[in-house]
C-alpha cells in the first residue's frame, strides 16, 4: 500500500487499529515544517532542533491515542494544537522556575544599585526608580515589598521581576523575553503601578 497516497486521517485510523513504524514515520515527517517553525517561534534554552522533533513524536503518539475521526478537527490542526501546547507548557514551567529563583533573590536588604550622583548603596527596600519614558516608578518599602509581590498576578509578578533584575528593563525587551505583545506588558506595568500606589499611598 502506498502510504503517501493516504490522508492524515486515514493514517491515524490505521495506526489506531494497529501501530506500524512505517505509517507512523510517514505521518510524523509530514509535519516537519511545523517542527522547524516552532524551533524558531518557541526557543527553549538547551533545546536543539532534534529535541523539537522528539517532542513531535510524543505529541503524535498522543494524537493517535486521542484523535476522534468523527470530530470536527482535521489531524493536522489537532496535532499542531497538541504539539504547540506541549512546548508552551514546557516554557511556562521553565519561566515559573526562573520566577521562583528570581524571587528568592529579592532580599530586602540586598544591595542592588547606586543612585546616580550619590555614593550610598541602596537595597530593594530603599530603591527609587525615577519614572521616565522607558521606566516605571517603583517606590519599594522594606516592610511592604512582600505584600506587594503577593498582591501581583502571575503576569504582573513576572513583569515586576524583569523590571527589577534585567539590565535592559525596557518594555520592548521585557515583551521580547516574555514573548508577549508590548501592549500586554504596558498594561501589566500600569496595574503594577496602581497596586504599588495602593500599598504605598
Amino acid at each position: 500500500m502506498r502510504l503517501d497516497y493516504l490522508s492524515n486521517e486515514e493514517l491515524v485510523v490505521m495506526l489506531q487499529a494497529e501501530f506500524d513504524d512505517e505509517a507512523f514515520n510517514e505521518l510524523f515527517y509530514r509535519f516537519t515544517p511545523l517542527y522547524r517553525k516552532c524551533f524558531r517561534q518557541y526557543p527553549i534554552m538547551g533545546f536543539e532542533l532534534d529535541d523539537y522533533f522528539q517532542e513531535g513524536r510524543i505529541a503524535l503518539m498522543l494524537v493517535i491515542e486521542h484523535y476522534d475521526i468523527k470530530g470536527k478537527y482535521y489531524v493536522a490542526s489537532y496535532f499542531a494544537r497538541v504539539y504547540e501546547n506541549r512546548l508552551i507548557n514546557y516554557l511556562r514551567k521553565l519561566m515559573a522556575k526562573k520566577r521562583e529563583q528570581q524571587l528568592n533573590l529579592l532580599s530586602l536588604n540586598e544591595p542592588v544599585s547606586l543612585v546616580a550622583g550619590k555614593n550610598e548603596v541602596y537595597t530593594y527596600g530603599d530603591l527609587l526608580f525615577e519614572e521616565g519614558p522607558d521606566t516605571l516608578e517603583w517606590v519599594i518599602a522594606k516592610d511592604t515589598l512582600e505584600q506587594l509581590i503577593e498582591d501581583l498576578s502571575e503576569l504582573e509578578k513576572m513583569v515586576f521581576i524583569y523590571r527589577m533584575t534585567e539590565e535592559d528593563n525596557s518594555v520592548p525587551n521585557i515583551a521580547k523575553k516574555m514573548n508577549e505583545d508590548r501592549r500586554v506588558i504596558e498594561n501589566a506595568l500600569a496595574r503594577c503601578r496602581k497596586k504599588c500606589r495602593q500599598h504605598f499611598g
Side-chain angles (χ1 to χ4, degrees):
M1 179 185 298
R2 288 286 301 272
L3 296 175
D4 56 331
Y5 285 177
L6 299 180
S7 68
N8 295 337
E9 289 70 30
E10 288 171 328
L11 284 170
V12 168
V13 170
M14 177 187 298
L15 289 163
Q16 287 176 336
E18 182 179 0
F19 188 84
D20 177 80
D21 286 335
E22 189 176 355
F24 181 87
N25 286 331
E26 169 65 29
L27 184 58
F28 171 75
Y29 284 109
R30 289 182 182 184
F31 301 114
T32 294
L34 177 64
Y35 312 142
R36 296 186 181 278
K37 185 197 81 169
C38 289
F39 176 65
R40 298 187 300 270
Q41 186 172 345
Y42 303 112
I44 299 174
M45 184 177 298
F47 266 42
E48 298 180 355
L49 183 57
D50 286 346
D51 296 302
Y52 287 79
F53 274 76
Q54 182 60 33
E55 286 297 319
R57 291 185 180 277
I58 297 172
L60 187 55
M61 292 296 294
L62 293 172
V63 168
I64 293 169
E65 181 180 355
H66 297 289
Y67 182 72
D68 182 4
I69 192 63
K70 297 179 181 179
K72 61 181 180 179
Y73 295 107
Y74 289 108
V75 166
S77 58
Y78 183 61
F79 173 77
R81 183 176 180 183
V82 172
Y83 179 65
E84 292 189 31
N85 282 345
R86 280 187 61 84
L87 296 177
I88 291 170
N89 287 337
Y90 191 85
L91 279 169
R92 285 174 176 167
K93 289 179 182 178
L94 288 179
M95 292 164 75
K97 184 176 180 180
K98 183 177 180 180
R99 286 199 302 269
E100 182 179 355
Q101 292 171 341
Q102 289 174 321
L103 281 175
N104 290 336
L105 296 176
L106 286 179
S107 168
L108 300 182
N109 296 313
E110 183 73 18
V112 293
S113 180
L114 289 174
V115 175
K118 297 184 180 180
N119 294 323
E120 296 92 342
V121 176
Y122 281 73
T123 67
Y124 282 116
D126 301 323
L127 199 57
L128 173 64
F129 281 81
E130 296 292 335
E131 183 175 358
D134 294 317
T135 61
L136 175 69
E137 181 181 11
W138 291 104
V139 182
I140 303 177
K142 296 178 182 178
D143 59 342
T144 56
L145 177 59
E146 291 180 356
Q147 288 80 5
L148 172 61
I149 293 173
E150 290 177 0
D151 193 33
L152 299 176
S153 69
E154 286 302 307
L155 173 64
E156 294 161 357
K157 191 179 298 182
M158 189 168 181
V159 172
F160 172 83
I161 291 169
Y162 276 121
R163 197 67 155 181
M164 292 295 297
T165 61
E166 288 292 321
E167 183 176 352
D168 180 1
N169 65 353
S170 64
V171 169
N173 187 57
I174 295 174
K176 181 179 179 181
K177 284 183 172 293
M178 293 181 60
N179 195 29
E180 292 283 0
D181 186 88
R182 175 172 180 157
R183 290 168 295 182
V184 173
I185 303 303
E186 289 174 342
N187 289 337
L189 287 174
R191 294 193 299 272
C192 286
R193 178 186 297 178
K194 181 178 180 180
K195 291 180 181 180
C196 185
R197 287 174 176 168
Q198 289 173 347
H199 277 273
F200 303 108

